[in-house]
């Protein structure tokens, strides 16, 4: 088969999946509003969502720079899968739900591993680990309608942390301990600062205009969400920085540290 044709097969299939997913995405509204939505309705929504996300990935990944998605070796993919599982565990099993009307927010540890993944394996794959792990957690722990927002925001967190750590500070090159500590904390803080602003803001408009949540509930959720997001951010910066600085020497000795 002609190489130029093969190059467009996956993106073409991705566009079809993305179009089908977006065409059916209005089903989110009925699932969100109906308090007694059946398990079948939620499963149907989840399948449509997964179709949309797969389409998005199939369209975007082939055109990413070689330094990110195309240059993924076995080590990177293995660590990405491991961090995705840790993100899932951090949200699913280490969280405190806070009900807000018909919605809810949570204190959780999922962001810790999303940030840590970006530090160890780079922005794109770290962000994808957070996106996939925490999106699956949303789909399986009663946060189904938040899954699209989660996928987007966690990917952005990873990209920001990875950019700061590996493009700005060149974190995996030789540096003294003081520089490493400052660079690690600043990189983590940059991604979490984005999330502190982005999560409540994007969540408010998403719930109000996409899900059709009443404005009073959306307002209350945004206020409570800002608190939980800030606490989650502080915990993520501290824990991810400590874990990275503690594990970095061992990974460097074994040759498993990202070097570009």
């Amino acid at each position: 088969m002609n190489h130029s044709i093969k190059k467009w097969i996956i993106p073409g299939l991705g566009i079809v999946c993305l179009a089908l997913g977006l065409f059916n995405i209005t089903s989110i509204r009925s699932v969100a509003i109906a308090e007694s939505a059946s398990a079948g309705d939620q499963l149907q929504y989840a399948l449509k969502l997964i179709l949309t996300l797969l389409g998005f990935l199939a369209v975007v990944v082939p055109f990413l720079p070689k330094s990110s998605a195309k240059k993924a070796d076995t080590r990177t993919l293995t660590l990405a899968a491991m961090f995705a599982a840790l993100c899932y565990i951090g949200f699913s099993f280490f969280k405190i739900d806070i009900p807000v009307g018909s919605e809810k927010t949570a204190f959780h540890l999922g962001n810790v591993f999303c940030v840590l993944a970006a530090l160890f394996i780079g922005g794109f794959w770290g962000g994808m680990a957070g996106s996939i792990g925490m999106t699956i957690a949303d789909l399986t722990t009663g946060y189904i309608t938040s899954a699209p927002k989660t996928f987007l925001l966690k990917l952005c967190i990873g990209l920001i942390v990875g950019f700061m750590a590996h493009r700005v500070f060149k974190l995996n090159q030789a540096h003294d301990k003081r520089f490493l500590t400052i660079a690690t904390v600043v990189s983590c803080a940059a991604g979490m600062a984005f999330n502190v602003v982005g999560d409540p803001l994007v969540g408010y408009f998403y719930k109000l205009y996409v899900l059709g949540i009443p404005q009073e509930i959306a307002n209350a959720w945004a206020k409570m969400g800002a608190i939980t997001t800030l606490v989650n951010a502080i915990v993520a910066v501290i824990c991810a920085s400590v874990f990275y600085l503690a594990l970095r020497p061992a990974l460097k000795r074994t040759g498993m540290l990202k070097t570009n």
Side-chain angles (χ1 to χ4, degrees), residues 73-86 113 117 120-122 125-126 129 251 255-258:
D73 53 18
T74 303
R75 177 197 68 89
T76 300
L77 293 176
T78 301
L79 289 175
M82 180 193 74
F83 279 114
L86 289 172
F113 301 105
F120 277 125
I121 59 178
W125 288 109
L251 289 180
M256 295 183 65
L257 197 66
K258 176 181 168 61

Side-chain angles (χ1 to χ4, degrees), residues 5 20 43 49 62 67 71 89 94 138 157 209 212 235 242 251 255:
I5 296 177
L20 289 173
L43 177 60
L49 172 63
S67 60
K71 197 175 182 179
I89 293 170
F94 296 93
D138 277 352
I157 289 172
Y209 294 110
V235 172
V242 171
L251 289 180

Side-chain angles (χ1 to χ4, degrees), residues 2 24 27 48 57 64 74-76 135-136 169:
N2 187 285
N24 290 287
S27 63
K48 291 175 181 177
L57 290 176
L64 287 169
T74 303
R75 177 197 68 89
T76 300
T135 295
I136 294 174
F169 293 116

Side-chain angles (χ1 to χ4, degrees), residues 3-20:
H3 178 71
S4 60
I5 296 177
K6 289 176 65 176
K7 179 181 178 181
W8 287 97
I9 289 179
I10 293 179
L13 292 174
I15 291 172
V16 173
C17 292
L18 188 59
L20 289 173

Side-chain angles (χ1 to χ4, degrees), residues 77-149:
L77 293 176
T78 301
L79 289 175
M82 180 193 74
F83 279 114
L86 289 172
C87 288
Y88 173 84
I89 293 170
F91 184 84
S92 297
F93 300 103
F94 296 93
K95 76 175 187 297
I96 301 174
D97 293 321
I98 310 294
V100 184
S102 60
E103 297 296 294
K104 57 184 175 179
T105 183
F107 297 106
H108 63 85
L109 298 182
N111 289 336
V112 173
F113 301 105
C114 179
V115 173
L116 196 59
L119 292 174
F120 277 125
I121 59 178
F124 175 77
W125 288 109
M128 286 305 302
S131 291
I132 293 173
M134 295 181 69
T135 295
I136 294 174
D138 277 352
L139 293 172
T140 56
T141 60
Y143 286 82
I144 289 179
T145 54
S146 295
K149 175 178 70 70

Side-chain angles (χ1 to χ4, degrees), residues 5-259:
I5 296 177
K6 289 176 65 176
K7 179 181 178 181
W8 287 97
I9 289 179
I10 293 179
L13 292 174
I15 291 172
V16 173
C17 292
L18 188 59
L20 289 173
L22 292 175
F23 180 76
N24 290 287
I25 209 70
T26 53
S27 63
I28 298 175
R29 181 181 295 270
S30 62
V31 174
I33 294 177
E35 295 182 1
S36 59
S38 68
D41 290 335
Q42 295 197 0
L43 177 60
Q44 185 180 32
Y45 162 72
L47 292 175
K48 291 175 181 177
L49 172 63
I50 292 170
L51 180 68
T52 305
L53 298 182
L54 288 175
F56 172 79
L57 290 176
V59 171
V60 172
V61 169
F63 299 100
L64 287 169
K66 291 183 178 181
S67 60
S68 56
K70 291 187 178 181
K71 197 175 182 179
D73 53 18
T74 303
R75 177 197 68 89
T76 300
L77 293 176
T78 301
L79 289 175
M82 180 193 74
F83 279 114
L86 289 172
C87 288
Y88 173 84
I89 293 170
F91 184 84
S92 297
F93 300 103
F94 296 93
K95 76 175 187 297
I96 301 174
D97 293 321
I98 310 294
V100 184
S102 60
E103 297 296 294
K104 57 184 175 179
T105 183
F107 297 106
H108 63 85
L109 298 182
N111 289 336
V112 173
F113 301 105
C114 179
V115 173
L116 196 59
L119 292 174
F120 277 125
I121 59 178
F124 175 77
W125 288 109
M128 286 305 302
S131 291
I132 293 173
M134 295 181 69
T135 295
I136 294 174
D138 277 352
L139 293 172
T140 56
T141 60
Y143 286 82
I144 289 179
T145 54
S146 295
K149 175 178 70 70
T150 294
F151 184 87
L152 175 64
L153 292 176
K154 303 316 172 189
L155 178 58
C156 289
I157 289 172
L159 292 173
I160 292 170
V161 174
F163 175 80
M164 293 296 295
H166 303 295
R167 300 289 181 173
V168 176
F169 293 116
K170 307 295 183 182
L171 198 58
N172 290 328
Q173 296 180 7
H175 300 292
D176 59 62
K177 290 184 178 180
R178 183 172 180 272
F179 179 88
L180 283 174
T181 301
I182 294 174
T184 300
V185 172
V186 171
S187 299
C188 295
M192 286 294 94
F194 161 80
N195 198 54
V196 167
V197 176
D199 194 284
L201 188 63
V202 172
Y204 172 78
F205 289 107
Y206 173 73
K207 290 179 182 298
L208 187 63
Y209 294 110
V210 177
L211 301 183
I213 300 298
Q215 187 172 13
E216 296 78 9
I217 296 178
N219 283 332
W221 178 90
K223 293 176 182 178
M224 190 63 214
I227 297 173
T228 58
T229 302
L230 178 60
V231 174
N232 292 338
I234 294 172
V235 172
V237 171
I238 295 173
C239 293
S241 297
V242 171
F243 290 159
Y244 176 78
L245 293 171
L247 295 172
R248 182 181 185 277
L251 289 180
K252 188 174 183 179
R253 285 196 300 270
T254 59
M256 295 183 65
L257 197 66
K258 176 181 168 61
T259 57

